[in-house]
Amino acid sequence: MRMSGADIVLESLKRVGIDTVFGYPGGVVLPLYDRWPAHPEVRHILVRHEQGGGHAADGYARAAGRLGCALATSGPGATNLVTAVQNAMMDSVPTLFVTGNVARNLIGRDGFQEADATGILTPCVKHNYLVMHAENLAHTFAEAAYLATTGRPGPVHIDIPKDVFIDEAEFVWPEEVSVRGYDLPGAADEADIARAAELIDAAERPLIIAGHGVILGEACEELRQFAEHTGVPVLNTLLGLGSIPRTHVLSYGMMGMHGSYEANMAASNADLVIGIGNRMDDRAIGRFNDFNHHAKLIHVDIDAGEHGKNLPTAVPILGHVKDVLPQLRDATRQRSHLDWIRWIDEVRDDHSHSMAIPSGPQMTSQGVIKRISERCDDETVIVTGVGQHQMWAAQHMRFSYPNQLITSGGLGTMGFEVPAAMGAQVAKPDALVWSICGDGGFQMTLQELATMVDENLPVKMAIINNGYLGMVRQWQELFYEDNYVAVAISQPDFVKLGEAYGIKALRVTDADKIDGAIAEANDHDGPVLVDFQVEAEGNVWPMVPAGSALSETVEAPRPETPSEVAR
Amino acid sequence: MSAELRKHTVVALVEDRPGVLNRVASLFRRRGFNIDSLAVGTTEEPGISRMTIVVASENGIVDQVQKQLAKLIDVIEVADLTGEDAVIRELALIKVACTTEQRREVLDLVDIFRARAVDVAPGSLIIQIVAEERQFNSLIENLEPYGILEMTRTGRIAMLRGDQTTAVHDPESEELQRFRHSSGRRPAGELPYVSD
């Protein structure tokens, strides 16, 4: 059938399973918007800023477990997307970003709202396209969706000049997509599996690091079975949280810069580390050169580029984690490592103060976050921003299923919390979605409150409000001799702000009122903003100072009396 | 960490379409890999270009270079020809200052290096040499006393000896070829004026 480029784009979105687009119109995408009413199957959500649209697509993709989509106009529309695109790149989130561009005969002439969108975004995407012919649109969308969702997922960008939306072409949907420069890994090399099994069987102090790849590869069940079969304790990276229930006897939570003391000691004393779908990031591993020299490393990943990138690897295994884990299970002996686990438990018990929530009448961030967690159900999605509140959420919330935590891990994007929560709520309209916000990050993207109201998205937002850019302040306190520069941040009256948007808003200044406010938010049918005014100068402990080894994990200098031990 | 720097010859077979060079160059810049030379040209297979990239780096880094290159969707095949039995060549044009009295001795040098004089002017010669790096450097050293006025080099290209190849013969359907060829390319002819 012959149709306009605009119709082909909308038809193609349907074919690749996109039911929601977070978009913002502009001059060059007008021909596309003009045709939108004819395609009611694709819901358009008008965001208030393209970055918000991008993060919403990211949050949507993680919560739904499928491709998310954001749309922007040329020039500033495209450049406003950049942060969100790179965020999705760093965290391997399957996303499709569509931008309009100036008409073909204006490209390269520095016309109004022209930016080199494909050039700007090339290093931020898995792949991108500039579509110069309407007859290429359908194939491009099919290929883009295939690339974004297969292998190691990631963002794919499609740039479309204005007149390509207007041109007509035959709509031909490709029956299959094949890209000769793109090979998906097949079955893992059997020799690699055998070598890994040998190391696993011989290990006395083995350890699993489970990363985001386990969740993206839908291999949580396979991970649990492999860990139980081999008796190997499991640590998580930040993005791996939820890949094994935190209540599981072999789950030891998060490792890394703000990982638990026992997790970091276990990682530093293991004789075998099995990385599964993680990328050996510096925030998880500490100083590369001094990561546990006694441990051999097995690394299972779908991306060969991750093998040996940061750490020397004894056995790299290339393959789908969902296939590799059962293979490894079948190739290894059933074991339990009671002495090793007892050793980790003893470290944990001896250092139970290290993540304790300070006692006293003051309202702590950890206390608020833990209480929200206690009132979550099995469907609750937690979205965070970046900084202290994020680390406290990772430490104190008990994540038990994949994608329960949606957070900006790799890029560390402040301002992710509000739009990503909005996207998650769109993906899961009936779930309770809590956005744990920093008072700094919230002010970066709060414009999306209007979108939430428009679409009646009942997101619950907890501003962990300490009046500081808390993590930066913590570093200035610890590493720059209390020299606080540009970290005290003023703010509007958040309750009035929420009300101005037509959102129910509460303020909590008293620790006794935390539970009531959470219950009130949970019960309200609509978005809620809660301004939790917490103590100003709490620090996240334990901590691996930047550039230190995991074995150099530092605990709170003056152990505060634990009233509530965090486990 | 002082690892020995070695020149590696990496060959990448890539889709012949706009933006590919940018993707490859962007990757090298972004990951901090240094390009010594880069030569690009068409191959026996329509739609596929061949890049020969010389990287001076430690062995481990070249492994990463290869893996990161292979991740690019437009890169079809990557091979490291370093240490392989391969023909490695580079072409250079060298304009050397040379009086008519000096011409004979310069031409003798040119003969010794199996180079050619391709342009003769009263005060200069253009010498064309196709050689491997060592021979090449040696010629330059010998020409320097006369004064090198200008030089341009193509960058290294390489091919395995014998029956082995670094080639991709994976013809795609005509439809797909058309898609790949036109993808990102401005259509020929006048375009209608559409203002934004």
Side-chain angles (χ1 to χ4, degrees):
Chain A
M1 205 169 99
R2 230 178 145 68
M3 51 176 94
S4 71
D7 286 304
I8 295 176
V9 168
L10 288 155
E11 206 52 54
S12 299
L13 289 176
K14 287 180 238 172
R15 297 290 180 116
V16 300
I18 285 168
D19 56 11
T20 306
V21 174
F22 298 91
Y24 206 106
V28 300
V29 286
L30 279 172
L32 179 67
Y33 276 84
D34 190 47
R35 293 299 303 153
W36 215 298
H39 301 267
E41 306 92 323
V42 185
R43 176 181 180 188
H44 181 271
I45 292 180
L46 174 63
V47 295
R48 293 300 184 273
H49 187 286
E50 292 87 350
Q51 184 192 352
H55 289 320
D58 183 322
Y60 174 97
R62 296 195 214 200
R66 61 173 189 269
L67 189 60
C69 182
L71 169 74
T73 192
S74 64
T79 55
N80 277 345
L81 269 183
V82 175
T83 303
V85 176
Q86 179 66 7
N87 192 80
M89 183 68 176
M90 293 289 271
D91 289 350
S92 308
V93 183
T95 36
L96 187 60
F97 293 95
V98 182
T99 53
N101 207 331
V102 297
R104 286 171 292 187
N105 58 0
L106 289 170
I107 286 180
R109 300 187 187 206
D110 304 319
F112 179 64
Q113 290 194 331
E114 185 186 4
D116 176 14
T118 45
I120 290 166
L121 285 170
T122 289
C124 310
V125 292
K126 188 168 171 184
H127 196 52
N128 59 5
Y129 301 86
L130 170 61
V131 186
M132 293 294 249
H133 306 261
E135 58 266 29
N136 282 351
L137 281 167
H139 195 105
T140 301
F141 274 83
E143 201 172 281
Y146 169 69
L147 294 175
T149 53
T150 54
R152 178 179 179 171
V156 176
H157 165 228
I158 302 177
D159 197 25
I160 307 170
K162 182 178 188 179
D163 54 333
V164 173
F165 288 119
I166 299 167
D167 265 11
E168 285 193 352
E170 199 64 30
F171 178 75
V172 184
W173 190 249
E175 277 165 34
E176 55 170 346
V177 175
S178 79
V179 185
R180 60 183 168 185
Y182 181 64
D183 297 319
L184 291 172
D189 190 298
E190 277 177 32
D192 290 342
I193 297 283
R195 278 202 299 152
E198 211 170 289
L199 291 179
I200 294 167
D201 283 345
E204 290 304 318
R205 299 184 308 280
L207 194 66
I208 292 170
I209 302 174
H212 199 199
V214 176
I215 294 171
L216 291 165
E218 298 178 348
C220 299
E221 181 56 22
E222 287 79 1
L223 169 67
R224 188 185 60 76
Q225 287 176 9
F226 170 68
E228 286 174 359
H229 174 78
T230 52
V232 179
V234 181
L235 304 184
N236 284 128
T237 64
L238 174 63
L239 291 184
L241 288 169
S243 59
I244 186 163
R246 191 60 191 87
T247 47
H248 193 284
V249 67
L250 289 171
S251 166
Y252 282 87
M254 186 175 74
M255 68 186 296
M257 183 170 270
H258 291 293
S260 70
Y261 192 81
E262 66 271 19
N264 289 352
M265 290 309 116
S268 306
N269 287 279
D271 64 354
L272 177 70
V273 170
I274 310 165
I276 305 176
N278 69 320
R279 55 189 183 86
M280 306 296 170
D281 172 56
D282 63 289
R283 283 299 191 265
I285 295 295
R287 189 167 64 229
F288 297 135
N289 288 343
D290 291 307
F291 179 72
N292 189 342
H293 290 294
H294 314 290
K296 293 198 172 68
L297 184 62
I298 297 170
H299 190 193
V300 182
D301 206 279
I302 198 162
D303 178 0
E306 291 302 340
H307 289 144
K309 185 181 77 177
N310 292 342
L311 292 179
T313 306
V315 185
I317 301 180
L318 181 65
H320 288 264
V321 59
K322 199 176 178 67
D323 302 330
V324 172
L325 286 173
Q327 278 177 280
L328 282 176
R329 191 192 57 210
D330 292 346
T332 45
R333 282 191 288 142
Q334 183 168 7
R335 288 182 79 183
S336 54
H337 291 279
L338 292 180
D339 287 347
W340 169 227
I341 283 172
R342 201 169 297 130
W343 184 90
I344 304 174
D345 286 346
E346 270 169 29
V347 174
R348 179 188 64 197
D349 296 343
D350 291 348
H351 294 265
S352 59
H353 60 277
S354 83
M355 250 164 54
I357 296 176
S359 63
Q362 79 275 32
M363 197 156 86
T364 62
S365 307
Q366 303 98 304
V368 172
I369 288 167
K370 189 151 188 272
R371 286 219 166 80
I372 292 172
S373 171
E374 284 163 359
R375 275 149 198 81
C376 291
D377 59 29
D378 288 348
E379 296 291 319
T380 306
V381 177
I382 302 293
V383 183
T384 82
V386 170
Q388 287 185 319
H389 70 280
Q390 176 191 35
M391 290 298 106
W392 279 317
Q395 288 181 342
H396 295 283
M397 296 184 121
R398 315 306 303 259
F399 300 103
S400 56
Y401 56 89
N403 294 316
Q404 186 181 11
L405 170 66
I406 294 177
T407 190
S408 168
L411 193 61
T413 312
M414 285 173 67
F416 180 74
E417 56 264 58
V418 171
M422 178 172 91
Q425 187 77 74
V426 172
K428 290 189 161 178
D430 300 323
L432 177 62
V433 176
W434 266 99
S435 173
I436 313 293
C437 311
D439 50 317
F442 180 81
Q443 291 187 68
M444 286 187 169
T445 49
L446 65 87
Q447 75 283 346
E448 299 308 331
L449 295 182
T451 313
M452 282 183 202
V453 172
D454 279 357
E455 303 288 329
N456 192 28
L457 298 168
V459 176
K460 317 303 175 197
M461 289 160 281
I463 302 181
I464 307 300
N465 180 0
N466 58 10
Y468 275 118
L469 301 174
M471 189 59 93
V472 183
R473 186 208 55 74
Q474 176 170 343
W475 284 47
Q476 289 183 344
E477 176 193 328
L478 299 177
F479 310 119
Y480 294 86
E481 294 164 343
D482 291 323
N483 187 23
Y484 290 178
V485 181
V487 287
I489 183 169
S490 72
Q491 49 200 224
D493 180 326
F494 286 127
V495 172
K496 278 189 185 159
L497 179 89
E499 285 168 357
Y501 276 101
I503 285 177
K504 182 183 178 73
L506 308 166
R507 177 174 295 117
V508 182
T509 53
D510 179 352
D512 294 339
K513 304 279 165 47
I514 298 172
D515 289 328
I518 296 168
E520 202 177 335
N522 285 350
D523 290 343
H524 181 70
D525 183 20
V528 182
L529 182 63
V530 191
D531 175 15
F532 288 105
Q533 300 200 337
V534 296
E535 59 172 354
E537 301 197 14
N539 284 339
V540 185
W541 299 108
M543 176 172 198
V544 180
S548 296
L550 271 196
S551 56
E552 296 164 332
T553 303
V554 179
E555 295 177 274
R558 39 185 170 73
E560 289 148 291
T561 328
S563 64
E564 223 182 324
V565 174
R567 52 181 62 253
Chain B
M1 237 185 3
S2 71
E4 202 189 328
L5 287 187
R6 182 177 178 191
K7 284 196 177 180
H8 289 259
T9 307
V10 176
V11 168
L13 294 161
V14 305
E15 297 287 354
D16 172 21
R17 58 172 164 187
V20 178
L21 184 60
N22 178 44
R23 287 180 207 281
V24 171
S26 171
L27 183 150
F28 274 77
R29 177 193 47 73
R30 140 109 177 83
R31 302 262 171 199
F33 309 141
N34 289 319
I35 299 180
D36 254 37
S37 80
L38 169 66
V40 194
T42 54
T43 63
E44 75 290 349
E45 189 75 23
I48 294 182
S49 298
R50 178 166 172 137
M51 292 185 179
T52 310
I53 307 159
V54 178
V55 200
S57 73
E58 304 143 32
N59 284 326
I61 302 286
V62 169
D63 187 49
Q64 261 299 303
V65 169
Q66 278 187 263
K67 286 172 173 173
Q68 295 299 334
L69 273 175
K71 271 174 78 168
L72 295 177
I73 308 296
D74 283 340
V75 173
I76 304 163
E77 197 72 53
V78 184
D80 183 2
L81 299 192
T82 319
E84 302 286 335
D85 187 13
V87 178
I88 294 178
R89 291 290 183 273
E90 186 173 3
L91 183 146
L93 297 175
I94 306 164
K95 188 177 285 179
V96 59
C98 164
T99 60
T100 39
E101 294 74 37
Q102 291 170 315
R103 191 178 292 156
R104 192 60 256 164
E105 55 187 85
V106 172
L107 287 174
D108 282 348
L109 263 177
V110 166
D111 275 348
I112 292 167
F113 283 93
R114 281 187 255 162
R116 280 186 347 143
V118 291
D119 181 71
V120 182
S124 68
L125 280 176
I126 296 180
I127 298 164
Q128 169 192 304
I129 177 168
V130 176
E132 284 197 66
E133 187 139 19
R134 209 169 345 142
Q135 203 182 348
F136 188 94
N137 290 341
S138 175
L139 172 65
I140 292 171
E141 219 170 278
N142 280 283
L143 290 176
E144 253 160 13
Y146 301 96
I148 293 175
L149 302 174
E150 189 179 351
M151 178 168 74
T152 179
R153 303 167 63 160
T154 57
R156 195 186 282 183
I157 56 172
M159 187 177 281
L160 289 174
R161 290 178 192 274
D163 296 340
Q164 290 184 81
T165 58
T166 310
V168 171
H169 297 285
D170 182 12
E172 298 187 298
S173 69
E174 251 176 63
E175 205 183 323
L176 209 50
Q177 279 183 34
R178 205 165 35 241
F179 169 72
R180 297 225 189 285
H181 182 74
S182 61
S183 190
R185 249 183 254 276
R186 197 177 179 281
E190 269 297 294
L191 287 165
Y193 182 79
V194 178
S195 108
D196 20 61

